[in-house]
Amino acid sequence: MNNGFCKDLNIKNMSEKELELRLNEIISGIKKPDFNSAKEMQERLDGKIKPTRSLGVLEDIAVQLAGIQRTAYPEIKGKAVLLMAGDHGVVKEGVSAAPQEITAQLFNSYLSGGGGINVLTNHAGADLVCTDLGISRPINPPELMANRIKNGTDNIAEGPAMTREEALRSLLTGAMVASNAIESGKNILATGEVGIGNTTPSAALITVFTGCSVEEATGSGTGLKNDALKHKHEVIKKAIKINNPNPDDPIDVLSKIGGLEIAAMAGAILEAAKQKVPTILDGIISSAAALVAAKLNPFSIEYMISSHSSEEKGELIALKHIGIEPRLFLNMRLGEGTGAALMFPMVEAALKIADEMATFETSGVSTGDF
């Protein structure tokens, strides 16, 4: 039985107060994972024919999943990458080497199965769920725009990205997408996104939430270099200055310098955590969303599984701030959820070790000095 967000709830007709109340229900429903189940899983792993803790990250993941699922025998029943799409008004400032129309073009390529994320979700045996939160132009068929909040954010170099109400609506739309995936049988999710220009609001969010410098949080995005990259730094600094987001109010920060798809990913992470389902993070955009979720409820961090170390350097700052580290080092910066999708087999491998590897007791192998 699904105890999460009602898929029939009309988010677009809810008032700001109703949206706040619904989000608070999700946030307050997130509980710490079960310590005893995690401990039992570690005891299972310690009994395998290997030196103690010798499988490192694989053991960490198995223990984490045991705590999340509240059992020493966790299972992966279904996998999905939730890909959120949104455009950004700040692209007008020249912060991207790619034109904005590429967002819609890429979104269509995912729907037709031709994207990098399609290849990697197929490889992992996972579903891909694509949701348009804020592409700037019409797409066909019109049903694909059913969850669109607005036609892209406003330009953060001139004012807020969106209203507080729009930020709340985006968070809850992401929560609904996650809840529907869980109801369909998925019990591990991953975050993905598409949105030309979205490394700019991500760097802004990371700067405000962690206190690092704009230069530390900002990478080249679609390939900016030298003066173009310095210009991107100045745009982000201007956006933070004129919007003056309150770091103690995550929704205020998100609405002023964030993105529709970033909000939706944060909402999905929170809803999944409420329903005791882990979410695999991707790169810098996903990590910015994870920061939002962590600020809204720190327990949500324990439901996050890191994947790769993005070439976008702000990701490492965001992850360090919430206390987790990347596990894959592949020099990737495509986005879409591609790094997260590559983590699915690692998670499954972790559980296969727990379930299929022989023990000292059953194999006759001596423990020696293990």
Side-chain angles (χ1 to χ4, degrees), residues 105-250:
Q105 293 167 359
L106 286 172
F107 191 76
N108 284 325
S109 76
Y110 308 143
L111 296 175
S112 64
I117 188 58
N118 298 96
V119 174
L120 296 180
T121 50
N122 289 341
H123 172 69
D127 287 348
L128 179 64
V129 180
C130 298
T131 306
D132 169 18
L133 278 298
I135 295 174
S136 63
R137 59 195 61 214
I139 54 175
N140 287 307
E143 291 78 20
L144 292 172
M145 298 184 287
N147 293 306
R148 184 179 293 190
I149 308 301
K150 60 189 297 184
N151 299 331
T153 60
D154 298 325
N155 184 355
I156 61 174
E158 297 176 348
M162 63 192 106
T163 65
R164 187 179 185 91
E165 183 176 318
E166 288 165 344
L168 290 165
R169 223 176 286 284
S170 300
L171 282 157
L172 290 182
T173 300
M176 180 183 67
V177 172
S179 187
N180 290 344
I182 294 166
E183 186 175 17
S184 75
K186 309 299 185 292
N187 70 341
I188 184 166
L189 305 177
T191 51
E193 45 63 41
V194 62
I196 295 301
N198 61 9
T199 60
T200 295
S202 295
L205 290 169
I206 291 167
T207 298
V208 170
F209 281 133
T210 70
C212 72
S213 70
V214 168
E215 288 79 6
E216 289 172 319
T218 309
S220 64
T222 49
L224 298 180
K225 296 179 181 179
N226 304 323
D227 289 346
L229 183 56
K230 290 178 182 177
H231 173 67
K232 184 177 179 180
H233 294 160
E234 294 308 311
V235 169
I236 295 170
K237 290 175 184 177
K238 180 181 178 182
I240 294 171
K241 182 178 180 179
I242 68 170
N243 286 294
N244 191 29
N246 177 6
D248 294 325
D249 182 353

